[in-house]
């Protein structure tokens, strides 16, 4: 080679080589779950065999720049199979990962000589809780964006071969494309977004969420007013600084609970910067796989020992039904006061398939919070309604231009396709048919058009010894008929007694701000003495079941009732009612109309009553979902429900036969005892001031069916005991696997132990006893009631197993007092079907 050319060639080669080797490699991408399609935060993405790497943010995104990479990129995270991809050096490129879950046994924590170094971190976390917990703030508020998606997943080949699924094959083809190159196909059925303002204040503890905008698209969702309130951020909030977190109505122990060492093993894995905060990463695992505890990782700041971010899982080993997995991810930031508030939350609930031929379901929740304001509380009256839907909330729900400005982050292309797919599904005729069938099964009514519904189907047909076969169809109006008025009615006929029955009602909502309604109801029907349909409330199956079987003390009645109720202030409701009723027994019944002269007293059997009822009800932290013409209670959180009722019977008003006064007080409270489970206590006390026929006194609610119900005394017959002064207490406790989880041969069955205790302490005054006709003629068969003694309460104790094959509960009840008599049931076995998680 020419001596002049050689140096030029060498110089040119070095320049090219140095340019090539010095070219920066820029890689960006997203890491998602192959099953759910959700982004995975906190994933380690690095060049294989090097320390050059980064971690994905809360939305699964990463960005990596380097001048000296190798050609293999590795993505790895606890609970997932690691994944590698080949990259091209020296250019900018996008590399996405879809990671599959790895089914492994819980990691074994090996502690060498000396104390586990994670323990000191945990002790400091607990000591600093009072400084970092958001509950220390006197008030806070922020803007929040919520997104919820529900999908069908785990669609097996047999599931796809079903006739219904074959009819939507075209949609399923689109699902394959949405899943991505490595993802599993999912079928979206519901997606919603909402933008709201959330306010909280302490002392008194109050929360208020105002939903400003909402966008709903899903199968079977029409009006969506109630759904919009259910999907607000108020129901997607979890605070790990609490010792126990209530998730799907179960109590889970936090990994930073005060008693953390009793429930978890820990491993101090790493220390690293997360944003601007230097953090310790701790992995944790439940000591017992069946316990309601988490597996996961958390990042604790070195400065202040605050929870910076956390990623927890509840696996199929936990004592839960129908749940494959629950995953919660949370990222927090400090406020000006020092307490930390969540800025992003992601929750995934994976519902397992019920059979090998069915599919599963995914529910995905995401919230983003910003614009925090702390320690500036409003007046208490500001928080009166826990959830309020702005009148304009759904005005712009289909305007994508508006929603692009409202979202905290833009929708991904996959999420935009979800909206299109749901619109396609809703227009398939067979989907509309199946949606209607499901609504009938859940609601009990079948829609005829949009304004009228037929039902309820549990009342359609029944059989008992007095009526024989009984049919009773009915109807009710919907919100489309009127947003203020509701009308309904039923007409029935018994083929043995050959009597018609009916029930008609009307209800008007006068105010939704301070919930105010009035209603009128008139009915003529057959009742069962000892069964109070008002006491069992909305238990439709129990109401329908009491129409069946043998009526020992049946009676016909006509009733007209007018009710007015108003919420005077948050949690306090006042009700006024006027009630007229007649009583016509279908059994031999009599009372002395003049007990002072029994020999000459006429004996009455039929009578009428006219009553005025005043009722005050206080439930301090009760949460309601409020629609245009109805309100649904979700129960209270910490405080009991207290009810005081006064009843005044007025003689000679509308033909009434009696003058009397009654006073009743009731108490109801749920209990959450952490590892000991949950329970519910109901207590009632009543005093009747004047002597009355026993059919107007306190008839303790018995149960002559084989179906267990916590509302009744299960070994007491209908109308067996009557009192005019009494106190009752009923307690039902769910141990949630506390005992059976510790038994090696039983814990795989996931059975749960339950216990019950029922008591009545009361009596009947001598004056009321004097009204009872003595049965001197055996052929008359007048049935006097049993009487309790103040010296001896009626007591039932029970124990049982629930969650048998996930659906069944069996209770064994012992009656401990009032055991005399040949027909007394001293012991009983009761069963029921229940759907619990």
């Amino acid at each position: 080679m020419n001596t002049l050319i050689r140096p030029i060639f060498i110089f040119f080669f070095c320049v090219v080589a140095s340019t090539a080797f010095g070219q920066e490699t820029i890689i960006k991408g997203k890491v998602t779950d192959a099953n759910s399609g959700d982004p995975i935060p906190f994933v380690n993405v690095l060049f294989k065999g090097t320390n050059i790497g980064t971690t994905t943010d809360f939305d699964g995104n990463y960005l990596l720049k380097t001048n000296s990479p190798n050609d293999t990129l590795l993505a790895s995270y606890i609970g997932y199979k690691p994944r590698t991809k080949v990259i091209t050096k020296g250019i900018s490129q996008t590399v996405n990962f879809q990671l599959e879950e790895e089914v492994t046994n819980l990691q074994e924590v090996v502690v060498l000589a000396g104390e586990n170094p994670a323990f000191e971190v945990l002790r400091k976390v607990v000591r600093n809780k009072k400084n970092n917990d958001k509950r220390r703030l006197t008030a806070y508020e922020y803007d929040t964006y919520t997104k919820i998606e529900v999908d069908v997943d785990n669609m097996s080949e047999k599931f796809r071969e079903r006739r219904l699924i074959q009819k939507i094959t075209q949609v399923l083809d689109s699902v394959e494309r949405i899943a991505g190159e490595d993802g599993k196909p999912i079928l979206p059925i519901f997606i919603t977004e909402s933008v709201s303002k959330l306010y909280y204040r302490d002392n008194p503890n109050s929360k208020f969420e105002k939903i400003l905008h909402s966008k709903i698209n899903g199968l079977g969702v029409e009006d969506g007013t109630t759904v919009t309130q259910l999907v607000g951020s108020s129901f997607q909030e979890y605070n790990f600084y609490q010792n126990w977190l209530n998730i799907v109505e179960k109590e889970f122990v936090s990994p930073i609970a005060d008693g953390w060492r009793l429930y978890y093993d820990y491993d101090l894995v790493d220390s690293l910067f997360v944003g601007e905060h230097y953090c310790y990463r701790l992995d944790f695992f439940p000591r017992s796989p069946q316990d309601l505890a988490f597996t996961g990782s958390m990042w604790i700041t070195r400065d202040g020992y605050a929870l910076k971010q956390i990623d927890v899982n509840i696996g199929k080993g936990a004592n839960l039904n129908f749940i494959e997995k629950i995953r919660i991810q949370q990222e927090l930031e400090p406020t000006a006061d020092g307490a930390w508030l969540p800025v992003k939350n992601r929750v995934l609930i994976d519902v397992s398939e019920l059979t090998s031929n069915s599919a599963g379901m995914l529910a995905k929740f995401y919230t983003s919070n910003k614009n925090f304001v702390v320690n500036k509380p409003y007046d208490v009256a500001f928080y009166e309604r826990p959830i309020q839907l702005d009148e304009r909330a759904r005005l712009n729900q289909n305007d994508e231009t508006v929603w692009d400005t409202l979202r905290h982050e833009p929708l991904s292309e996959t999420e935009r396709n979800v909206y299109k797919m749901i619109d396609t599904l809703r227009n398939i005729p067979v989907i509309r048919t199946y949606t209607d069938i499901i609504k009938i099964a859940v609601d009990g009514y079948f829609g005829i058009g949009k304004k009228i519904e037929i039902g309820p189907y549990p009342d359609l047909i029944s059989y008992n010894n007095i009526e024989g076969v009984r049919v009773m169809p009915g109807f009710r109006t919907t919100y489309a008929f009127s947003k203020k008025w509701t009308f309904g009615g039923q007409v029935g006929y018994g083929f043995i007694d050959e009597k018609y029955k009916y029930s008609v009602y009307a209800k008007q909502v006068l105010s939704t701000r301070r919930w105010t309604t009035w209603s009128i109801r008139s009915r003529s029907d057959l009742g069962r003495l000892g069964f109070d349909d008002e006491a069992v409330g909305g238990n439709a199956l129990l109401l329908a079941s009491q129409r069946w079987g043998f009526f020992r003390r049946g009676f016909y009645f006509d009733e007209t009732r007018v009710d007015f109720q108003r919420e005077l202030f948050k949690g306090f409701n006042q009700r006024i009612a006027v009630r007229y009723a007649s009583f016509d027994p279908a059994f031999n019944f009599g009372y002395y109309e003049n007990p002072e002269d029994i020999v000459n007293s006429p004996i009455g059997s039929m009578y009428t009553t006219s009553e005025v009822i005043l009722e005050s009800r206080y439930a301090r932290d009760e949460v309601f979902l409020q629609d245009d013409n109805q309100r649904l209670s979700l129960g209270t959180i910490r405080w009991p429900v207290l009810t005081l009722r006064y009843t005044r019977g007025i003689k000679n008003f509308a033909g009434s036969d009696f003058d009397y006064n009654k006073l009743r007080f009731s108490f109801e409270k749920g209990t959450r005892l952490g590892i000991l489970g949950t329970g519910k206590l109901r207590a009632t006390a009543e005093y009747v001031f004047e002597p009355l026929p026993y059919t107007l006194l306190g008839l303790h609610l018995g149960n002559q069916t084989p179906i267990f119900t916590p509302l009744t005394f299960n070994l007491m017959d209908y109308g067996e005991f009557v009192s005019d002064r009494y106190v009752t207490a009923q307690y039902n406790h769910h141990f949630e696997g506390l005992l059976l989880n510790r038994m090696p041969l039983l814990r795989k069955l996931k059975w749960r132990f339950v216990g019950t205790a029922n008591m009545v302490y009361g009596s009947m005054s001598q004056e009321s006893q004097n009204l009872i006709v003595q049965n001197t003629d055996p052929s008359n068969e007048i049935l006097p009631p049993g009487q309790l003694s103040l010296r001896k309460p009626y007591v039932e104790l029970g124990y049982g197993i629930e969650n048998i094959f996930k659906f069944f509960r069996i209770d064994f009840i012992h009656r401990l007092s009032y055991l005399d008599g040949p027909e007394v049931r001293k012991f009983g076995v009761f069963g029921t079907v229940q759907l619990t998680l």
Side-chain angles (χ1 to χ4, degrees):
M1 183 177 288
N2 187 287
T3 56
L4 180 62
I5 296 176
R6 183 178 295 170
I8 296 175
F9 175 78
I10 294 172
F11 174 76
F12 177 76
F13 176 80
C14 291
V15 170
V16 173
S18 65
T19 303
F21 283 106
Q23 182 70 41
E24 187 176 44
T25 302
I26 303 175
I27 307 173
K28 65 178 181 177
K30 189 166 190 170
V31 183
T32 56
D33 188 300
N35 290 317
S36 67
D38 264 10
I40 309 176
F42 325 135
V43 176
N44 296 317
V45 182
L46 70 160
F47 290 102
K48 191 174 182 179
T50 74
N51 291 323
I52 302 171
T54 186
T55 303
T56 58
D57 63 14
F58 193 83
D59 297 309
N61 300 309
Y62 74 92
L63 176 64
L64 191 56
K65 299 180 181 180
T66 184
N67 289 317
S68 56
N70 60 30
D71 61 355
T72 304
L73 198 62
L74 170 68
S76 64
Y77 187 54
I78 183 174
Y80 288 90
K81 297 177 182 178
R83 185 78 189 277
T84 60
K85 287 196 174 185
V86 176
I87 58 99
T88 303
K89 299 178 182 179
I91 64 171
S92 296
Q93 56 205 286
T94 299
V95 180
N96 296 322
F97 289 90
Q98 287 178 294
L99 302 184
E100 293 185 4
E101 285 189 82
E102 186 171 31
V103 181
T104 59
N105 293 325
L106 292 177
Q107 178 176 328
E108 182 179 352
V109 178
V110 179
V111 180
L112 302 176
E115 185 183 56
N116 184 337
F119 289 179
E120 180 59 23
V121 177
L122 266 297
R123 280 193 287 266
K124 291 180 178 178
V125 170
V126 172
R127 280 201 298 265
N128 284 274
K129 268 187 178 185
K130 61 181 180 298
N131 299 321
N132 299 319
D133 189 350
K134 65 182 181 180
R135 290 177 295 176
R136 64 165 288 188
L137 300 170
T138 58
Y140 58 78
E141 61 185 84
Y142 52 78
D143 299 327
T144 181
Y145 164 78
T146 303
K147 177 172 55 187
I148 298 177
E149 181 182 337
V150 179
D151 310 312
V152 175
D153 74 337
N154 293 335
M155 295 178 287
S156 65
E157 289 300 321
K158 288 186 178 180
F159 179 77
R160 295 180 186 225
E161 291 171 1
R162 292 185 175 184
R163 185 176 301 177
L164 168 64
I165 302 303
Q166 288 177 349
K167 292 183 179 181
I168 56 175
T169 300
Q170 182 178 358
V171 177
L172 285 177
D173 291 340
S174 302
V175 173
E176 298 284 1
R177 292 195 296 272
I178 278 186
E181 59 177 331
D182 303 307
K184 295 183 179 180
I186 56 176
L187 181 65
I189 58 175
F190 177 84
I191 188 169
T192 179
E193 300 175 82
S194 66
V195 176
S196 55
K197 189 85 173 180
L198 191 138
Y199 305 87
Y200 168 86
R201 71 162 287 162
D202 191 20
N203 194 25
N205 188 293
S206 304
K207 184 187 294 184
F208 168 51
E209 181 180 9
K210 186 169 186 177
I211 301 175
L212 304 173
H213 303 275
S214 72
K215 179 180 175 67
I216 296 177
N217 201 356
L219 303 183
V221 179
E222 297 175 359
D223 173 51
T225 304
T226 302
V227 175
T228 299
Q229 297 172 73
L230 268 174
V231 300
S233 66
S234 294
F235 296 98
Q236 327 305 331
E237 186 177 2
Y238 301 101
N239 183 5
F240 285 90
Y241 284 103
Q242 297 175 180
N243 289 330
W244 296 87
L245 285 78
N246 186 263
I247 304 172
V248 293
E249 295 301 314
K250 303 290 183 181
E251 295 287 305
F252 289 82
V253 61
S254 169
I256 56 173
D258 293 343
W260 50 272
R261 200 166 178 175
L262 296 174
Y263 308 101
Y264 288 100
D265 289 321
Y266 298 85
D267 191 9
L268 179 58
V269 177
D270 198 2
S271 55
L272 68 165
F273 274 98
V274 179
E276 299 177 353
H277 301 273
Y278 192 76
C279 298
Y280 301 107
R281 173 182 161 180
L282 282 75
D283 292 350
F284 46 89
F285 319 90
R287 286 180 173 268
S288 174
Q290 282 77 28
D291 282 350
L292 298 183
F294 303 103
T295 300
S297 303
M298 57 184 170
W299 288 257
I300 305 296
T301 64
R302 186 174 62 180
D303 182 15
Y305 291 88
L307 184 65
K308 167 60 181 170
Q309 57 191 27
I310 189 168
D311 184 358
V312 301
N313 287 281
I314 303 166
K316 61 174 65 177
N319 197 333
L320 287 173
N321 291 326
F322 319 113
I323 301 294
E324 190 81 12
K325 181 180 70 172
I326 297 176
R327 185 169 193 175
I328 303 173
Q329 298 162 328
Q330 190 175 89
E331 183 178 11
L332 302 96
E333 290 289 345
T335 63
D337 183 81
W340 291 63
L341 286 169
V343 291
K344 292 185 179 179
N345 297 274
R346 185 178 287 110
V347 180
L348 178 141
I349 301 177
D350 188 353
V351 182
S352 60
E353 50 272 30
L354 296 180
T355 68
S356 59
N357 296 329
S358 63
M361 185 171 291
L362 281 175
K364 300 185 286 187
F365 309 83
Y366 172 77
T367 58
S368 173
N369 308 321
K370 63 181 183 181
N371 299 331
F372 294 96
V373 178
V374 299
N375 295 335
K376 294 184 178 179
Y378 297 89
D379 292 337
V380 174
F382 179 80
Y383 304 87
E384 281 192 344
R385 285 184 60 179
I387 303 174
Q388 182 179 352
L389 185 64
D390 190 274
E391 295 180 356
R392 301 164 296 175
R394 302 189 65 199
L395 289 179
N396 299 308
Q397 76 158 346
N398 295 317
D399 191 333
E400 277 301 311
T401 304
V402 173
W403 275 95
D404 284 340
T405 65
L406 295 173
R407 296 183 183 107
H408 292 188
E409 299 90 15
L411 290 181
S412 65
E413 188 61 31
T414 298
E415 289 167 332
R416 294 188 183 276
N417 285 333
V418 166
Y419 273 111
K420 297 177 184 178
M421 292 178 61
I422 291 176
D423 286 337
T424 303
L425 283 170
R426 292 173 68 176
N427 293 322
I428 298 175
V430 69
I431 293 293
R432 292 201 300 267
T433 300
Y434 272 79
T435 301
D436 290 340
I437 292 173
I438 293 172
K439 288 175 64 178
I440 294 171
V442 172
D443 201 28
Y445 283 84
F446 174 75
I448 297 181
K450 292 185 177 181
K451 297 183 178 182
I452 302 292
E453 293 179 333
I454 302 298
Y457 69 85
D459 282 352
L460 184 59
I461 189 168
S462 59
Y463 177 85
N464 59 70
N465 62 304
I466 296 177
E467 296 175 293
V469 175
R470 164 192 168 118
V471 293
M472 196 159 188
F475 81 98
R476 70 180 182 186
T477 60
T478 70
Y479 75 95
F481 178 86
S482 171
K483 288 182 169 58
K484 297 296 183 183
W485 284 92
T486 303
F487 299 95
Q490 291 177 273
V491 176
Y493 182 76
F495 286 88
I496 287 182
D497 65 359
E498 297 182 344
K499 290 179 179 292
Y500 286 97
K501 292 88 180 176
Y502 69 86
S503 173
V504 293
Y505 68 89
K507 177 181 175 182
Q508 183 186 16
V509 178
L510 301 175
S511 172
T512 56
R513 183 178 178 275
R514 292 192 182 277
W515 188 255
T516 307
T517 66
W518 83 275
S519 64
I520 183 170
R521 180 180 70 174
S522 180
R523 57 179 179 158
S524 179
D525 209 337
L526 176 71
R528 182 178 237 172
L529 200 65
F531 186 90
D532 185 352
D533 57 357
E534 185 177 353
V536 300
N539 192 328
L541 289 179
L542 184 59
L543 284 169
S545 68
Q546 66 90 24
R547 294 287 177 196
W548 295 76
F550 179 78
F551 280 37
R552 187 164 180 248
R553 290 185 173 99
F555 64 94
Y556 295 96
F557 68 91
D558 294 317
E559 179 193 53
T560 300
R561 184 176 191 146
V562 179
D563 272 274
F564 175 85
Q565 67 171 2
R566 179 175 175 82
E567 186 178 42
L568 300 182
F569 55 87
K570 183 182 177 182
F572 185 77
N573 284 272
Q574 184 65 48
R575 182 168 74 96
I576 302 174
V578 178
R579 177 179 178 266
Y580 168 85
S582 66
F583 178 86
D584 183 4
F587 65 99
N588 286 323
F589 162 76
Y591 67 94
Y592 292 114
E593 296 182 4
N594 183 11
E596 297 178 357
D597 185 6
I598 291 178
V599 176
N600 299 311
S601 173
I603 296 177
S605 61
M606 301 171 59
Y607 59 78
T608 61
T609 59
S610 297
E611 298 177 335
V612 176
I613 301 169
L614 302 177
E615 182 178 277
S616 299
R617 182 178 184 273
Y618 184 56
R620 177 172 173 176
D621 58 357
E622 189 170 19
V623 177
F624 290 97
L625 295 180
Q626 194 164 298
D627 207 340
D628 289 319
N629 54 17
Q630 60 183 346
R631 190 167 74 157
L632 173 66
S633 173
L634 299 181
T636 58
I637 301 171
R638 293 186 303 166
W639 294 89
V641 179
L642 307 175
T643 306
L644 180 65
R645 176 189 294 183
Y646 168 69
T647 303
R648 171 66 173 147
I650 305 174
K651 189 174 183 179
N652 297 324
F653 179 78
S656 174
D657 293 304
F658 305 106
D659 215 354
Y660 53 89
N661 297 271
K662 298 180 181 181
L663 192 62
R664 179 190 293 183
F665 174 77
S666 63
F667 172 98
E668 184 175 317
K669 188 181 188 307
T671 58
R672 295 176 178 175
L673 302 177
I675 193 173
L676 298 178
T678 62
K680 191 162 192 177
L681 172 66
R682 299 180 180 88
T684 303
E686 185 173 34
Y687 191 92
V688 181
F689 291 84
E690 288 80 20
L692 290 172
Y694 73 84
T695 51
L696 286 172
L697 303 180
L699 289 116
H700 308 299
L701 193 59
N703 183 11
Q704 292 180 237
T705 75
I707 301 173
F708 173 82
T709 170
L711 297 172
T712 66
F713 297 91
N714 288 280
L715 289 176
M716 185 185 292
D717 291 340
Y718 293 124
E720 180 180 352
F721 291 108
V722 180
S723 305
D724 56 16
R725 61 205 67 189
Y726 66 87
V727 176
T728 69
Q730 296 172 290
Y731 185 73
N732 190 39
H733 193 86
H734 303 262
F735 288 92
E736 301 292 356
L738 170 66
L739 303 177
L740 301 181
N741 275 358
R742 271 64 184 174
M743 299 181 183
L745 297 178
L746 292 176
R747 63 187 180 193
K748 288 188 177 181
L749 298 173
K750 296 187 177 181
W751 290 359
R752 302 166 191 163
F753 190 69
V754 293
T756 59
N758 296 335
M759 182 274 292
V760 184
Y761 184 77
S763 69
M764 185 189 298
S765 67
Q766 186 61 51
E767 290 80 6
S768 290
Q769 294 181 44
N770 292 340
L771 295 179
I772 300 174
V773 173
Q774 301 303 313
N775 189 10
T776 57
D777 180 3
S779 63
N780 196 24
E781 295 184 356
I782 292 178
L783 298 174
Q787 298 170 32
L788 297 171
S789 169
L790 290 175
R791 292 175 301 211
K792 184 172 70 171
Y794 174 91
V795 179
E796 290 179 352
L797 292 180
Y799 48 89
I801 304 293
E802 64 179 348
N803 207 40
I804 301 173
F805 303 117
K806 298 183 179 181
F807 291 101
F808 298 101
R809 169 174 171 167
I810 296 178
D811 283 84
F812 305 91
I813 310 295
H814 295 267
R815 176 165 165 168
L816 303 184
S817 58
Y818 295 94
L819 303 179
D820 298 334
E823 297 182 2
V824 170
R825 293 176 295 158
K826 301 177 182 179
F827 174 76
V829 180
F830 298 83
T832 188
V833 177
Q834 59 183 20
L835 182 62
T836 59
L837 294 178

